[in-house]
């Protein structure tokens, strides 16, 4: 996932370059990523938990929101998280009817920025797992759009002050990012490079390559990593973590099942790039 620093850089860049994209709520840029990712609630709003979206809205309201008094046509101007919590407790105690008496207000930019956070996370997720080039950068935005279908449907229930639904705001954000996908790609590539990674350099893709290689070569489904026999998934993460910190790794493969199978093939690699390149090349060749 993009770092919070990269998230913020993209938010600020869009604010400067895209007409209609604005962040005006005090403290929003400093708090939005922490709300979504911190406190054991990573990806709050799009998690499988059916209450995740409601939890996201509740957190956004507690940090930035207010209450609109329907009968008197005014905001209550609750100024802090503690004031909102106190009001919420009192409302529950009094049995207030939402919609008839009061409505929850969350600033439009808070919901828009939370949505953008999820889109950017999924763009990086796609880039992390797929070796795409800059000219294919639109694919990562399209992936995010597909993955957020259920999230987008939940946004239909919310109305922006401009009269649009937030589902429409979501579609607009997607189109903005498709238009700027090459810029987005370059920013994310720089962050991957700082971590010693490239597009497609992920444990998930490495595991797929190793399984494909094992199946093609007729090897048994255990990989020796520096002499230690491990099942493929455990081996993948051991190999990946060792190579990321610059440690050379020796891989061993056997054609036979048994407590001490003979190692048929040994391969030494010193970088993720070498590993991905060699195994992809081997898979593409005829045996």
């Amino acid at each position: 996932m993009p770092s919070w620093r990269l998230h913020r850089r993209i938010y600020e860049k869009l604010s400067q370059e895209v007409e209609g994209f604005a962040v005006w709520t005090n403290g929003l840029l400093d708090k939005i990523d922490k709300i979504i990712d911190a406190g054991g609630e990573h990806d709050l709003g799009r998690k499988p938990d059916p209450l995740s979206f409601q939890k996201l809205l509740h957190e956004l309201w507690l940090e930035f929101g207010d209450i609109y008094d329907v009968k008197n046509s005014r905001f209550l101007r609750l100024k802090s998280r503690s004031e909102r919590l106190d009001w919420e407790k009192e409302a529950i105690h009094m049995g207030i009817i939402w919609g008839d008496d009061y409505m929850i207000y969350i600033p439009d930019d808070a919901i828009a920025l939370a949505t953008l956070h999820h889109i950017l996370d999924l763009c990086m997720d796609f880039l992390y797992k797929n070796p795409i080039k800059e000219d294919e950068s639109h694919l990562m935005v399209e992936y995010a759009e597909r993955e957020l279908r259920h999230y987008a449907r939940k946004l239909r229930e919310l109305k922006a002050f401009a009269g649009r639904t937030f589902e429409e705001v979501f579609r607009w954000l997607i189109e903005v990012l498709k238009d700027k996908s090459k810029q987005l790609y370059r920013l994310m590539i720089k962050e991957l490079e700082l971590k010693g990674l490239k597009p497609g350099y992920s444990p998930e893709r490495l595991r797929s390559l190793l399984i494909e290689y094992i199946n093609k070569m007729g090897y048994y489904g255990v990989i020796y990593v520096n002499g230690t026999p491990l099942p493929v998934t455990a081996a993948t993460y051991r190999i990946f973590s060792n190579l990321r910190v610059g440690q050379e790794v020796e891989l061993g493969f056997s054609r036979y099942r048994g407590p001490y199978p003979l190692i048929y093939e040994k391969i030494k690699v010193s970088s993720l790039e070498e590993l991905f390149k060699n195994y992809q090349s081997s898979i593409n060749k005829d045996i």
Side-chain angles (χ1 to χ4, degrees):
M1 302 302 164
S3 65
W4 290 356
R5 182 174 60 181
L6 180 56
H7 271 289
R8 180 164 184 147
R9 185 177 178 188
I10 294 170
Y11 302 154
E12 291 173 342
K13 188 174 182 64
L14 292 176
S15 296
Q16 295 164 4
E17 298 180 4
V18 177
E19 184 178 356
F21 186 93
V23 178
W24 61 84
T25 300
N26 288 335
L28 181 58
L29 284 174
D30 296 322
K31 295 180 179 179
I32 187 66
D33 300 315
K34 186 175 181 179
I35 287 172
I36 294 172
D37 284 339
E41 290 283 3
H42 187 74
D43 295 338
L44 187 63
R46 64 179 174 91
K47 295 172 68 175
D49 175 5
L51 297 179
S52 181
F53 187 73
Q54 283 71 27
K55 290 177 183 176
L56 171 63
L57 296 182
H58 187 248
E59 282 299 314
L60 292 176
W61 175 73
L62 285 175
E63 285 292 340
F64 309 111
D66 202 353
I67 292 294
Y68 184 72
D69 183 337
V70 176
K71 292 181 179 178
N72 296 303
S73 302
R74 67 183 183 90
F75 285 101
L76 299 187
R77 300 192 181 281
L78 304 174
K79 296 180 180 179
S80 67
R81 186 182 182 96
S82 62
E83 283 188 20
R84 294 176 196 114
L85 280 170
D86 290 342
W87 191 92
E88 183 181 44
K89 290 176 183 176
E90 183 65 18
I92 293 171
H93 177 72
M94 297 293 292
I96 285 174
I97 302 173
W98 297 103
D100 292 344
D101 298 329
Y102 296 96
M103 296 176 65
I104 289 176
Y105 166 72
I106 300 170
D108 290 0
D109 58 340
I111 297 174
L113 216 58
T115 301
L116 180 57
H117 175 108
H118 290 310
I119 296 172
L120 295 177
D121 274 3
L122 287 165
C123 284
M124 181 65 96
D125 183 57
F126 183 83
L127 192 60
Y128 187 52
K129 296 176 182 176
N130 297 275
I132 63 171
K133 304 294 184 183
E134 186 174 318
D135 287 343
E136 302 170 301
S137 57
H138 60 95
L139 295 174
M140 62 185 185
V141 184
E142 292 171 3
Y143 168 77
E145 183 179 15
R146 290 193 303 273
E147 290 297 306
L148 287 171
R149 287 192 306 269
H150 299 301
Y151 177 90
R153 282 198 285 270
K154 292 174 183 175
L155 289 174
R156 291 176 188 171
E157 305 165 12
L158 309 177
K159 293 284 186 182
F161 253 50
R164 294 189 296 175
T165 67
F166 274 99
E167 186 182 27
E168 292 174 292
V169 174
F170 170 76
R171 303 295 172 202
W172 175 74
L173 283 172
I174 288 290
E175 291 307 313
V176 166
L177 293 179
K178 284 180 181 177
D179 183 59
K180 294 188 171 293
S181 62
K182 290 184 179 180
Q183 294 179 47
L184 191 62
Y185 177 92
R186 290 193 289 271
L187 288 170
M188 290 186 169
I189 285 293
K190 286 182 181 178
E191 179 150 299
L192 285 178
E193 288 174 346
L194 289 173
K195 298 176 181 178
L197 300 173
K198 291 184 178 182
Y201 282 21
S202 67
E204 293 84 357
R205 181 165 172 256
L206 176 57
R207 180 177 179 275
S208 295
L209 281 175
L210 289 172
I211 289 173
E212 194 171 350
Y213 182 74
I214 286 169
N215 290 338
K216 180 175 181 178
M217 302 301 293
Y219 291 148
Y220 180 52
V222 167
I223 300 173
Y224 284 77
V225 182
N226 294 332
T228 302
L230 295 169
V232 175
T233 298
T236 297
Y237 284 96
R238 177 78 62 85
I239 294 164
F240 193 87
S241 61
N242 285 0
L243 290 176
R244 276 197 65 183
V245 297
Q247 296 178 6
E248 186 178 67
V249 175
E250 182 184 79
L251 284 68
F253 300 90
S254 174
R255 291 188 186 275
Y256 307 102
R257 180 193 298 268
Y260 302 103
L262 295 174
I263 296 177
Y264 182 82
E265 178 187 17
K266 288 184 179 180
I267 301 172
K268 286 187 178 181
V269 289
S270 56
S271 70
L272 284 169
E273 183 174 9
E274 179 187 0
L275 181 62
F276 277 105
K277 183 178 179 180
N278 288 349
Y279 279 100
Q280 190 64 68
S281 176
S282 296
I283 289 168
N284 292 339
K285 289 180 181 178
D286 292 331
I287 297 177

